[in-house]
Amino acid sequence: MLQEQPDWEKMEYAKFISWKQMVFILLGIALIVQLIAQFITPTSMVNYQLLAFITATNVGAVLLAILAQRSAEDIRDMYVKAFTPSFYATVSTISNLREIMVMEAEKDGKSLDEELEDLGPKLYGFFRAYVNSKNPEAVPEVPDIQVAENPAYDSEEELFQ
């Protein structure tokens, strides 16, 4: 069964934050918090606000971790659908076929690209013949062409004048 396109588009355009970006963000936040702390005199209200800030950032971190885990699970589900044992067997078969084609091309003194250029039209013709044999309606109708009679002539020299 073929995979629907929208799932693949989601996976192709997935955006992830890198570890370097995370480090820069954390260092930026630490710098800002430390700069603010340098200009504020400690009081019980400031301590209360700081406690609220710490709690909010921790709750935010937990929520973001949950969202990140959900994204990872979505990606895992897409990979599980795509990378089945059949997929790996097919890739192995295609790889083996490629190696055989490279060896055969080298025997003939050709590159694989040259062999594929020669093989492409033949494969296309084979597949078209196969499809047409399975679905006769797919074969286009050949028009009935009428050819006129040749005019009479006495010698061939008349034809080249």
Side-chain angles (χ1 to χ4, degrees):
M1 186 169 132
L2 294 175
Q3 185 67 25
E4 293 179 5
Q5 187 66 22
D7 286 344
W8 295 112
E9 287 177 5
K10 284 184 216 171
M11 192 164 77
E12 180 181 0
Y13 296 112
K15 301 282 188 223
F16 296 102
I17 188 168
S18 69
W19 69 270
K20 290 180 183 179
Q21 290 171 320
M22 285 184 192
V23 169
F24 283 123
I25 290 170
L26 290 175
L27 289 175
I29 291 171
L31 181 65
I32 292 169
V33 170
Q34 289 299 319
L35 285 174
I36 293 171
Q38 296 301 317
F39 299 106
I40 298 176
T41 307
T43 65
S44 61
M45 183 57 145
V46 169
N47 288 342
Y48 176 75
Q49 292 296 324
L50 183 59
L51 180 61
F53 176 76
I54 292 168
T55 303
T57 55
N58 285 338
V59 169
V62 169
L63 291 176
L64 289 174
I66 290 169
L67 292 174
Q69 182 60 33
R70 187 170 63 180
S71 295
E73 289 171 1
D74 290 344
I75 291 170
R76 181 206 59 211
D77 292 343
M78 284 187 271
Y79 273 97
V80 165
K81 287 179 186 175
F83 299 108
T84 62
S86 174
F87 170 82
Y88 288 115
T90 302
V91 169
S92 176
T93 301
I94 292 172
S95 294
N96 291 338
L97 179 62
R98 181 187 181 281
E99 291 301 318
I100 291 168
M101 289 179 67
V102 167
M103 289 184 330
E104 292 299 319
E106 287 174 353
K107 284 180 187 176
D108 292 339
K110 294 182 179 179
S111 71
L112 181 60
D113 290 335
E114 291 169 335
E115 279 295 324
L116 289 175
E117 285 177 16
D118 184 45
L119 184 63
K122 293 174 185 173
L123 281 176
Y124 178 77
F126 172 77
F127 289 131
R128 288 302 308 155
Y130 177 78
V131 167
N132 291 341
S133 71
K134 293 294 182 184
N135 186 7
E137 291 86 31
V139 178
E141 292 183 24
V142 178
D144 186 24
I145 299 174
Q146 300 296 327
V147 178
E149 288 287 326
N150 287 333
Y153 60 92
D154 294 329
S155 73
E156 292 179 2
E157 291 173 4
E158 291 179 33
L159 299 174
F160 299 104
Q161 291 180 353

